[in-house]
Amino acid sequence: MPVIQIHLMEGRTTAQKQALMREVTRAAAETLGVSPQSVRILLQELQSGHFAVAGEPKYADHDPAANGHAPQPESVTSN
Amino acid sequence: MPVIQIHLMEGRTTAQKQALMREVTRAAAETLGVSPQSVRILLQELQSGHFAVAGEPKYADHDPAANGHAPQPESVTSN
Amino acid sequence: MPVIQIHLMEGRTTAQKQALMREVTRAAAETLGVSPQSVRILLQELQSGHFAVAGEPKYADHDPAANGHAPQPESVTSN
Amino acid sequence: MPVIQIHLMEGRTTAQKQALMREVTRAAAETLGVSPQSVRILLQELQSGHFAVAGEPKYADHDPAANGHAPQPESVTSN
Amino acid sequence: MPVIQIHLMEGRTTAQKQALMREVTRAAAETLGVSPQSVRILLQELQSGHFAVAGEPKYADHDPAANGHAPQPESVTSN
Amino acid sequence: MPVIQIHLMEGRTTAQKQALMREVTRAAAETLGVSPQSVRILLQELQSGHFAVAGEPKYADHDPAANGHAPQPESVTSN
């Protein structure tokens, strides 16, 4: 322990995700006084538009919908 | 708060998923007496066949396996 | 499906929690066009102080720590 | 891997929970062909009344509310 | 109940995943003394490299990165 | 985003848990290049004995069961 689940919007580079996992592990191990080996991280990416604040979907930066070009719901099929 | 994780079988339209997030947010905000802004929703789609009831996989409507055409995994080793 | 996990700060009344589960179920069933019977909700309360925004713990309303009376952990070693 | 989260209604004996974790581990290791050592289980108990089907709360067997003696929501304070 | 979430590295065959869900259901039903019908399993696959131990990413067997051919982080775009 | 769930064995001090949330937030914000305000942490403590490796329960340090004094569940039926 601990087991840490990180929910992240898709669109980050592999380098960012590896740094995230490495530094969160370091932070957890240091503050809890445990071996880094005991820290496990599960990184779960959310699809763009699958996170909502106040009921409004949020989009990844690379997603055209993030720039005001909202998808036309009637004609969009989910992936 | 609250933070709400919704696990949903893949295959819904974007419009359905947006309505789901909007109305669940409204329901949570109204019953708890909090601002919609404080409600966060994470929508996580399960792949067709990755949800099981009584040990039997369930499929999305669009999946041929949902209509009795179960995939024939050539290397099934368990009974 | 869907299976919905709601993470909520402790301190709500039973009536609020029952209304929350009932109305979120209704919202999900209506927007997805499924039977309410297919909606399952897991309500998981977080202890006061076990939710953080910007690294700062948030407290339940009934918790003295919520009113500026932060607990004095006698052995705080980090800055 | 795998990491397995089991959400269980409170009220089971320690013996039942230990058997559950042991046998689920065995089932996962055997079907996946991995070492039991690689299987981690997190057992998370839900409070009685904190699981809902069709919007209706479900109670643990030992809970008076499970036997038709529903709590009076207005006067019940959450734990 | 119970509701069981299984987090698994991607790359398993459909047959393995179906056996996993079937046998974990059986193990849970038998040890808890409940009907298999009451057991629900959500199988969530992690992308190769999205699980970390000691801060180091772990890869699926089929992933070239699993064989010492680590991706070049600067030039890899996340999927 | 991100939303981070930390599953931790019970028994840590409030100071340790606050340091954990603060430093994990810092690590996530720095590696992702986002505002700390966008990072939310849910800390979920597991009861001693509710985490298993290789099917064997693990106990919190303060728990007598952690020191070889396994609880004697009077009705253990499995070996």
Side-chain angles (χ1 to χ4, degrees):
Chain A
M1 303 230 79
V3 173
I4 301 176
Q5 289 177 272
I6 304 179
H7 302 277
L8 188 67
M9 181 66 73
E10 64 176 353
R12 301 292 177 171
T13 66
T14 296
Q16 279 182 307
K17 292 186 284 192
Q18 291 186 349
L20 171 67
M21 295 190 294
R22 187 176 57 242
E23 295 305 319
V24 165
T25 296
R26 186 199 310 268
E30 288 182 0
T31 54
L32 295 175
V34 300
S35 160
Q37 180 68 26
S38 70
V39 183
R40 274 158 172 74
I41 295 188
L42 289 75
L43 181 57
Q44 300 177 294
E45 286 185 316
L46 288 167
Q47 286 181 44
S48 183
H50 282 197
F51 177 61
V53 177
E56 291 301 313
K58 301 298 179 186
Y59 301 99
D61 292 342
H62 71 273
D63 188 335
N67 303 309
H69 302 286
Q72 303 298 321
E74 305 85 313
S75 61
V76 172
T77 57
S78 66
N79 68 312
Chain B
M1 302 230 80
V3 174
I4 300 176
Q5 289 177 272
I6 303 179
H7 303 277
L8 188 66
M9 182 65 74
E10 65 176 353
R12 301 290 178 173
T13 66
T14 296
Q16 279 182 307
K17 292 186 283 192
Q18 291 186 349
L20 172 67
M21 295 190 293
R22 186 176 58 242
E23 295 305 320
V24 166
T25 297
R26 186 200 309 267
E30 288 182 0
T31 54
L32 295 175
V34 299
S35 160
Q37 181 67 28
S38 71
V39 182
R40 275 158 170 74
I41 294 187
L42 290 74
L43 182 57
Q44 299 178 295
E45 286 186 316
L46 288 168
Q47 286 181 46
S48 183
H50 282 198
F51 177 61
V53 177
E56 291 301 312
K58 300 298 179 186
Y59 301 99
D61 291 342
H62 71 273
D63 189 334
N67 303 309
H69 302 285
Q72 303 296 327
E74 60 284 26
S75 58
V76 175
T77 55
S78 51
N79 63 311
Chain C
M1 302 230 79
V3 174
I4 301 176
Q5 289 177 271
I6 305 179
H7 302 277
L8 187 67
M9 181 66 74
E10 63 176 354
R12 301 291 178 172
T13 65
T14 296
Q16 279 182 307
K17 292 186 283 192
Q18 291 186 348
L20 171 67
M21 295 190 293
R22 186 176 57 242
E23 295 305 319
V24 166
T25 296
R26 185 199 310 266
E30 288 181 1
T31 55
L32 295 174
V34 299
S35 159
Q37 180 68 26
S38 70
V39 183
R40 274 158 172 72
I41 295 188
L42 290 74
L43 181 57
Q44 299 177 296
E45 286 185 316
L46 289 167
Q47 286 181 45
S48 182
H50 282 198
F51 177 61
V53 177
E56 292 300 313
K58 301 298 181 187
Y59 301 99
D61 291 343
H62 71 273
D63 189 334
N67 302 307
H69 302 286
Q72 304 296 327
E74 61 284 26
S75 58
V76 175
T77 55
S78 50
N79 63 311
Chain D
M1 304 229 78
V3 174
I4 301 176
Q5 290 176 271
I6 304 179
H7 302 277
L8 187 67
M9 181 66 74
E10 64 176 355
R12 301 291 177 172
T13 64
T14 296
Q16 279 182 307
K17 292 186 283 192
Q18 291 186 350
L20 172 68
M21 295 190 294
R22 187 176 57 242
E23 294 305 319
V24 166
T25 296
R26 186 200 309 267
E30 287 182 0
T31 53
L32 295 174
V34 300
S35 160
Q37 180 67 26
S38 71
V39 182
R40 273 158 173 73
I41 294 187
L42 290 74
L43 181 57
Q44 300 177 294
E45 286 186 315
L46 289 168
Q47 286 181 46
S48 182
H50 282 199
F51 177 62
V53 177
E56 292 300 314
K58 300 299 179 186
Y59 301 99
D61 292 341
H62 71 275
D63 189 335
N67 303 309
H69 302 285
Q72 303 299 322
E74 304 86 317
S75 61
V76 172
T77 57
S78 66
N79 69 314
Chain E
M1 304 229 79
V3 174
I4 301 176
Q5 289 176 272
I6 303 179
H7 302 276
L8 188 67
M9 181 65 74
E10 64 176 354
R12 300 292 178 171
T13 65
T14 296
Q16 279 182 307
K17 293 186 283 192
Q18 292 186 349
L20 172 67
M21 295 191 293
R22 187 175 56 243
E23 295 304 321
V24 166
T25 296
R26 186 200 309 265
E30 288 182 359
T31 53
L32 295 174
V34 300
S35 159
Q37 181 66 26
S38 71
V39 182
R40 274 158 171 73
I41 294 188
L42 290 74
L43 182 57
Q44 299 177 295
E45 286 185 315
L46 288 167
Q47 286 181 45
S48 183
H50 282 198
F51 177 62
V53 177
E56 291 301 312
K58 300 299 179 186
Y59 301 98
D61 291 342
H62 71 274
D63 189 334
N67 303 309
H69 302 285
Q72 303 299 322
E74 305 86 316
S75 60
V76 172
T77 57
S78 67
N79 67 313
Chain F
M1 303 231 79
V3 174
I4 301 176
Q5 289 176 271
I6 304 178
H7 302 278
L8 187 68
M9 181 65 73
E10 65 176 353
R12 301 290 178 173
T13 66
T14 297
Q16 279 182 308
K17 293 186 282 192
Q18 291 186 349
L20 171 67
M21 295 191 292
R22 186 176 57 244
E23 294 305 320
V24 166
T25 296
R26 186 200 309 267
E30 287 182 1
T31 54
L32 296 174
V34 300
S35 160
Q37 180 68 26
S38 71
V39 183
R40 274 158 172 73
I41 295 188
L42 290 74
L43 182 57
Q44 300 178 295
E45 286 185 315
L46 288 167
Q47 287 181 45
S48 182
H50 282 198
F51 177 62
V53 177
E56 291 300 313
K58 300 298 180 187
Y59 301 99
D61 291 343
H62 71 274
D63 189 334
N67 303 308
H69 303 285
Q72 304 296 327
E74 60 283 27
S75 57
V76 174
T77 55
S78 50
N79 62 312

